[in-house]
Amino acid sequence: MTKEDKEKILGKKATPDFYYRLDDYKYSTIPKDRILTGIYDLDYDLKGFEMGCITLWTGFTNAGKTTVMTMLAKKTIDQGERIFFFNGEQTKEDFKNNLYIQCVENKYLIKKQYKNSCVEDTFVMPEKAIELEKTYGNKIYVYNNEINKDINTLLYAMEELRRTQKIRVFFLDNFMQIETTKENIYQEQAEIMEKLRTFAVNNKVHVHLVAHPRKTERFQVRLSLYDIAGSSNMVNKAYNIISIIRLDNIKKDNKELKKLQEDLMIEGYDIQKVDSVLDILKTKGNRCGVVGLTYLNDKKTYVPAEKMTEEEKEKMKHKKQDNDGQEELPW
């Protein structure tokens, strides 16, 4: 009996079948649709950002989470996508300026001094900003923070843009800025996460979600899945979980830093040439691991850190062997 026959007999739309037989649907060899970052190690480890998933980003205060989100927004648009951006803490003006700074070469940047002080702000030259407006103006939609920031209003805006503007990539920075009303905050956070996951899966879109960590030990360097603030449901529902570690915030005599140095060395990075680390805590892609980044101060963005040559790896290996058993880091 066909679906149409069922509907005629029932006098209403037929309910979905409860199961499929394996030969009811075809075997597909078409690769999944995804967004790439251009950072080779990250793309390999995660297999890109697949549609129908949530990627959860975390890190200590001032680790660079918003900078990474802005960088990924640019990378996504460069691949022909339009995006939605929810800035819970950043103004729409700051977001626009930070994005534009990342999009141009240093020669198009200007610095303006604040009164007669030592304080300077960086901007893009006006003529270049006009060009960027034409390139990005109709490709980015920023949530209006003057209206309610509850999950239902947020999802209504996301669904409207998905439907009318064909947007498939959504950035939510950050989870804690989504308003809650119930006494049991963890139950409500679980419900919010379930709604976001349902939205991503049902509509085959990707959601980048920033979440803060819980209060941790004072000198802790790396986060674990258990350190992410909020309901444990957040961790369970996320497809990827990535922690951002900013190295210049860490004291050089921290013992945890030695283990991070070793993990970076295994991946081919010299910690002295790395400014920040993407620590992949969970993925359904290829593997968990660490990815080194270099920060470009003028452009306020990250690029892949330079890998060691084979000769440098050998020198680093011997240096490590000579320093085994010492408390201090070899550098």
Side-chain angles (χ1 to χ4, degrees):
M1 185 181 295
T2 66
K3 182 179 178 182
E4 289 73 19
D5 292 335
K6 288 181 184 178
E7 290 177 355
K8 285 181 182 179
I9 293 172
L10 293 171
K12 60 180 181 181
K13 190 174 181 179
T15 56
D17 292 328
F18 291 106
Y19 52 82
Y20 296 100
R21 202 174 75 177
L22 194 61
D23 58 1
D24 284 342
Y25 56 96
K26 292 182 179 179
Y27 174 70
S28 175
T29 58
I30 300 173
K32 293 182 179 179
D33 208 1
R34 48 174 59 90
I35 299 296
L36 301 176
T37 66
I39 301 172
Y40 180 87
D41 286 356
L42 184 62
D43 288 332
Y44 175 80
D45 290 347
L46 303 181
K47 296 181 71 174
F49 296 112
E50 292 183 9
M51 295 301 168
C53 305
I54 292 179
T55 294
L56 189 62
W57 297 84
T58 191
F60 293 111
T61 300
N62 203 31
K65 298 184 288 294
T66 298
T67 300
V68 170
M69 291 304 100
T70 308
M71 176 189 74
L72 291 177
K74 179 186 180 302
K75 295 286 188 183
T76 302
I77 295 166
D78 289 346
Q79 291 170 70
E81 297 286 337
R82 292 181 172 186
I83 67 164
F84 168 86
F85 214 106
F86 168 70
N87 285 295
E89 297 176 350
Q90 188 179 206
T91 66
K92 61 183 186 297
E93 290 81 10
D94 284 343
F95 169 71
K96 192 171 191 176
N97 188 44
N98 290 335
L99 174 73
Y100 280 9
I101 288 171
Q102 290 193 10
C103 292
V104 300
E105 299 175 33
N106 287 356
K107 64 182 180 181
Y108 296 114
L109 298 178
I110 55 174
K111 293 185 182 295
K112 291 193 174 182
Q113 185 180 21
Y114 178 71
K115 296 183 177 179
N116 293 320
S117 72
C118 60
V119 178
E120 288 185 333
D121 290 313
T122 303
F123 300 96
V124 172
M125 290 180 178
E127 59 271 22
K128 197 65 180 177
I130 293 172
E131 290 181 27
L132 292 171
E133 199 86 356
K134 294 176 181 177
T135 303
Y136 295 102
N138 67 341
K139 294 183 175 65
I140 304 175
Y141 291 79
V142 182
Y143 190 75
N144 181 4
N145 284 334
E146 295 179 6
I147 64 173
N148 293 338
K149 291 187 279 188
D150 63 282
I151 186 60
N152 291 328
T153 306
L154 187 57
L155 280 171
Y156 181 87
M158 291 165 66
E159 170 56 24
E160 182 174 304
L161 288 172
R162 183 200 68 79
R163 182 174 49 82
T164 62
Q165 302 302 322
K166 311 301 181 188
I167 289 178
R168 302 193 303 164
V169 184
F170 299 80
F171 293 84
L172 306 183
D173 183 11
N174 62 65
F175 185 80
M176 301 308 168
Q177 294 298 315
I178 300 175
E179 295 170 353
T180 55
T181 57
K182 296 181 180 179
E183 289 186 11
N184 188 336
I185 188 171
Y186 292 112
Q187 180 184 344
E188 188 167 7
Q189 286 176 343
E191 292 171 0
I192 291 172
M193 192 65 180
E194 182 58 38
K195 287 180 179 180
L196 288 172
R197 182 180 178 276
T198 300
F199 175 78
V201 172
N202 289 352
N203 296 302
K204 291 184 172 59
V205 301
H206 196 97
V207 176
H208 291 281
L209 179 62
V210 176
H212 291 309
R214 305 176 192 273
K215 288 184 178 179
T216 57
E217 294 182 18
R218 185 178 175 188
F219 299 110
Q220 185 172 339
V221 171
R222 300 172 79 170
L223 296 171
S224 72
L225 295 177
Y226 305 104
D227 292 321
I228 298 172
S231 166
S232 60
N233 202 40
M234 292 177 62
V235 170
N236 296 333
K237 299 296 183 185
Y239 192 90
N240 307 305
I241 300 179
I242 305 167
S243 172
I244 304 170
I245 305 169
R246 181 173 163 177
L247 295 182
D248 65 351
N249 286 340
I250 305 169
K251 290 187 176 181
K252 295 296 185 286
D253 60 352
N254 191 305
K255 293 180 181 179
E256 282 191 45
L257 196 56
K258 186 173 183 180
K259 177 63 169 65
L260 181 57
Q261 181 193 27
E262 292 172 352
D263 288 347
L264 282 168
M265 190 168 66
I266 291 170
E267 302 293 342
Y269 298 101
D270 179 352
I271 196 170
Q272 297 182 74
K273 298 179 180 178
V274 172
D275 295 318
S276 293
V277 177
L278 299 181
D279 194 2
I280 302 170
L281 306 179
K282 174 186 174 183
T283 183
K284 295 183 180 179
N286 280 323
R287 61 193 286 272
C288 292
V290 292
V291 179
L293 300 177
T294 297
Y295 183 66
L296 304 181
N297 189 56
D298 287 339
K299 290 173 62 63
K300 301 184 187 301
T301 191
Y302 288 104
V303 294
E306 182 183 345
K307 290 289 195 81
M308 290 187 288
T309 64
E310 290 303 317
E311 184 180 354
E312 288 172 331
K313 286 180 185 178
E314 284 300 314
K315 286 182 179 179
M316 186 67 72
K317 192 183 297 182
H318 292 307
K319 194 174 183 180
K320 178 184 180 301
Q321 289 171 353
D322 293 340
N323 285 275
D324 275 348
Q326 295 185 15
E327 290 296 322
E328 294 290 328
L329 284 167
W331 50 278

